[in-house]
């Protein structure tokens, strides 16, 4: 997760404010111990009330046999708390279909974990929003992927857009911090500004833009993904929009998620907008942040207990929390893939190997590199940096 | 080793989609096979192909095994659907299967 608003509009911010790597609703500094532990995405169920064409989990209308029960979930949360996990993101499927969600959220909060939610928003009634708030939920990220017509087409259910917007309004009404999650593709890129304008009017002030992950049903959509020029253009629009808002005095938060070429782009953008000194300070903050977090600062546990290097990397599991503790799985130094992924700047190949931004990008998504046939350490096909941006000394050339 | 009660876990497939296959690799012929997680695929050939993409840079040998065919006995207490198994009677187990 890259906070565009913090990097471009709050130049004096502490680098720790960037530490979280998924949309957790905060950039508050966390403790040293917690910073070494991953944020954990728990896909609590495979069941969903919508049928999104780009669902990375490949969710369906029914739960899977063997999903972690309430009791197992609580033992998992104990396990994560003992390990020092700072944040659990309750996800799915659609986590709101679990009737024990409030109970699990409360249990996480009591255990000292910050509970946050990723939801399609359509089930956020006033009662449930209040219940979640009472349980200690710290943040709800609500997915909307276009204006009404396109969003409902994406979501596979008529009325999903209206229900999600009402869900956002309900969260804001009960005082629950809420943000937008918008996955940008070639199909919905033109709706982006309209959605942000509409939700700004509703009162939302946090906007997270996701790049498409080639996972689950999203794997089949790689052909409608943005090309490099389109991606560059939309990221520029997001940066421009963020700057304009802050210059007007609107303290909106804008974040980019899922493609660390964005980190390099923002350094280049800052150099053009503010000059070399600011670009260098932004580079240093991004270097602290660490680049693509897969296998390091983000982990995922799926509905059957499998542990994945990220929530998107569904086809490979490091182990299962029913067999051994999450900490034992995550700290298993004998796993050569995990070790290599954690040392990836040394292992990157192709155009990434000599890219000056590889320390703040770390090659981007290994999953997309694999899906595109580039190998485990090959380039991420979503990299949109131009040749002259990748070349040169570190950090930005004239900052030396 | 600690004398703890072991429980047998379910033997169902562990993939929400497709099938799960446990992966074992070794980098040299005189190394033991090492469990390195599992991959999800429609069939064994697909699992082998995926495991190779992930581990071919490291491993000479890649073995895969359907996840549902593995009987798991563990002292870890998370799973609800796990039945406690009796400790084998001392002296009746061959040494290479000693309980403790």
């Amino acid at each position: 997760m890259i906070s565009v608003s913090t990097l471009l509009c709050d130049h004096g911010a502490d680098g720790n404010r960037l530490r979280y790597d998924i949309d957790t609703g905060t950039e508050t500094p966390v403790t040293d111990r917690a910073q070494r532990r991953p944020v954990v995405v728990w896909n609590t169920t495979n069941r969903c009330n919508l049928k999104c064409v780009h669902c990375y989990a490949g969710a369906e209308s029914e739960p899977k046999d063997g999903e972690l029960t309430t009791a197992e979930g609580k033992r998992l949360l104990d396990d994560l708390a003992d390990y020092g996990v700072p944040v659990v993101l309750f996800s799915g499927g659609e986590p709101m279909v679990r009737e024990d969600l409030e109970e699990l959220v409360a249990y996480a909060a009591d255990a000292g974990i910050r509970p946050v939610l990723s939801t399609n928003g359509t089930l956020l009634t006033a009662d449930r929003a209040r219940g979640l708030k009472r349980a200690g939920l710290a943040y709800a990220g609500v997915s909307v992927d276009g204006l009404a017509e396109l969003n409902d087409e994406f979501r596979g259910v008529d009325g999903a857009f209206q229900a999600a917007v009402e869900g956002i309004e309900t969260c804001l009404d009960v005082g629950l911090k809420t943000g937008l999650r918008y996955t940008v593709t070639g199909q919905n890129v033109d709706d982006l500004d309209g959605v942000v304008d509409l939700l700004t009017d509703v009162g939302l002030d946090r906007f997270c833009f996701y790049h498409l992950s080639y996972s689950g049903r999203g794997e089949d959509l790689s052909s409608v993904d943005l090309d490099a020029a389109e991606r560059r253009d939309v990221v520029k629009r997001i940066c421009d929009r963020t700057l304009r808002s802050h210059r007007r005095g609107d303290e909106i938060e804008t974040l980019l998620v899922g493609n660390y070429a964005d980190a390099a782009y923002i350094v280049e953008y800052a150099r053009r907008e503010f000059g070399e000194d600011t670009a260098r300070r932004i580079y240093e903050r991004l270097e602290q942040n660490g680049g693509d977090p897969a296998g390091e600062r983000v982990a995922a546990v799926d509905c059957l207990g499998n542990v994945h290097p990220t929530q998107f990397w569904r086809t490979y599991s490091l182990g299962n929390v029913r067999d051994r503790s999450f900490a034992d799985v995550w700290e298993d130094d004998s796993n050569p893939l995990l070790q290599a992924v954690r040392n990836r700047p040394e292992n990157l190949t192709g155009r990434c190997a000599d890219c000056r931004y590889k320390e703040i990008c770390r090659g981007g998504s290994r999953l997309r590199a694999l899906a595109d046939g580039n190998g485990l350490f090959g380039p991420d096909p979503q990299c949109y940096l131009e040749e002259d941006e990748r070349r040169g000394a570190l950090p930005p050339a004239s900052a030396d | 080793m600690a004398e703890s009660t072991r429980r047998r876990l379910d033997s169902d497939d562990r993939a929400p989609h497709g099938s799960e296959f446990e992966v074992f690799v070794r980098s040299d012929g005189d190394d033991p096979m090492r469990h390195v997680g599992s991959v999800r695929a429609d069939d064994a050939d697909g699992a082998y192909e995926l495991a190779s993409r992930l581990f071919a840079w490291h491993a000479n040998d890649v073995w895969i095994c359907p996840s549902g065919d593995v009987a798991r006995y563990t002292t870890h207490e998370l799973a609800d659907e796990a039945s406690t198994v009796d400790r084998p009677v001392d002296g009746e187990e061959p040494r290479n299967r000693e309980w403790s």
Side-chain angles (χ1 to χ4, degrees), chain A residues 122-367:
Chain A
T122 60
L123 303 175
L124 279 165
T125 60
D127 277 353
R128 292 210 71 186
R130 272 193 294 271
L132 287 165
K133 167 92 171 154
R134 265 198 309 274
L137 187 73
Y139 175 72
V142 179
S143 297
V144 176
D145 290 316
L147 292 166
E149 184 180 352
L150 190 60
N151 180 79
D152 289 359
E153 189 181 322
F154 257 49
R155 304 268 162 208
V157 174
D158 288 342
F161 177 83
Q162 187 58 33
V165 172
E166 288 171 7
I168 289 170
E169 290 176 310
T170 301
C171 286
L172 295 174
D173 286 346
V174 303
L176 183 58
K177 186 169 174 60
T178 306
L180 167 72
R181 299 165 58 96
Y182 193 103
T183 301
V184 187
T185 73
Q187 293 172 313
N188 69 1
V189 66
D190 292 335
D191 277 6
L192 186 149
D193 288 307
V195 170
V196 174
D197 288 342
L198 186 148
L199 293 177
T200 300
D201 289 343
V202 164
L204 210 63
D205 61 1
R206 185 177 172 90
F207 302 92
C208 304
F209 301 102
Y210 284 69
H211 295 272
L212 183 66
S213 179
Y214 299 170
S215 173
R217 291 198 286 272
E219 196 169 357
D220 298 331
L221 292 179
S222 56
S223 59
V224 299
D225 199 8
L226 300 168
D227 65 25
E230 291 167 331
R231 190 172 307 283
R232 194 179 180 84
D233 178 63
V234 74
V235 173
K236 181 178 185 304
R237 277 166 51 202
I238 290 166
C239 292
D240 289 345
R241 186 182 181 102
T242 304
L243 276 185
R244 276 198 312 274
S245 294
H246 278 253
R247 282 170 179 159
R248 283 199 307 266
D250 299 334
E251 294 292 316
I252 65 159
E253 294 176 86
T254 313
L255 303 107
L256 288 162
V257 188
N259 182 348
Y260 272 77
D262 294 341
Y265 179 82
I266 288 172
V267 174
E268 295 288 332
Y269 181 94
R271 179 155 47 178
R272 290 192 296 273
E273 288 287 327
F274 307 113
E276 295 295 346
D277 288 347
T278 300
R280 181 170 55 180
R281 283 198 295 274
I282 288 175
Y283 177 92
E284 288 167 357
R285 287 185 196 118
L286 287 163
E287 196 175 27
Q288 261 183 293
N289 197 40
D292 183 85
E296 297 177 90
R297 301 183 314 280
V298 169
V301 178
D302 73 24
C303 60
L304 302 183
N306 300 300
V307 178
H308 302 280
T310 75
Q311 69 269 42
F312 303 118
W313 202 334
R314 315 289 287 187
T315 54
Y316 175 60
S317 166
L318 300 162
N320 189 292
V321 295
R322 281 178 168 135
D323 296 340
R324 53 180 177 154
S325 72
F326 174 84
D328 286 342
V329 173
W330 197 247
E331 297 275 346
D332 187 346
D333 291 336
S334 73
N335 186 315
L337 187 146
L338 199 53
Q339 293 308 306
V341 165
R342 288 173 178 170
N343 294 321
R344 79 190 86 162
E346 316 172 356
N347 297 315
L348 293 172
T349 60
R351 68 198 297 259
C352 296
D354 60 355
C355 177
R356 68 169 163 171
Y357 286 114
K358 68 178 175 182
E359 293 292 342
I360 62 170
C361 165
R362 295 173 75 78
S365 166
R366 298 301 81 216
L367 187 59

Side-chain angles (χ1 to χ4, degrees), chain B residues 16-96:
Chain B
H17 305 281
S19 298
E20 200 77 15
F21 293 84
E22 304 296 330
V23 181
F24 303 82
V25 300
R26 69 176 156 213
S27 52
D28 291 309
D30 58 352
D31 285 343
M33 297 302 288
R34 176 183 299 163
H35 181 236
V36 290
S38 57
V39 294
R40 192 166 298 170
D42 292 333
D43 53 32
D45 288 342
Y48 168 70
E49 187 183 327
L50 179 52
S52 297
R53 289 212 299 268
L54 297 176
F55 292 100
W57 59 275
H58 170 82
N60 286 338
D61 295 332
V62 177
W63 290 4
I64 58 169
C65 172
S67 186
D69 287 349
V70 177
R72 299 176 178 84
Y73 297 86
T74 181
T75 58
H76 183 55
E77 295 183 352
L78 189 133
D80 282 343
E81 298 297 322
S83 52
T84 301
V85 292
D86 293 334
R87 188 175 179 215
V89 177
D90 287 343
E92 293 186 3
E93 282 283 303
R95 187 165 182 78
N96 65 349

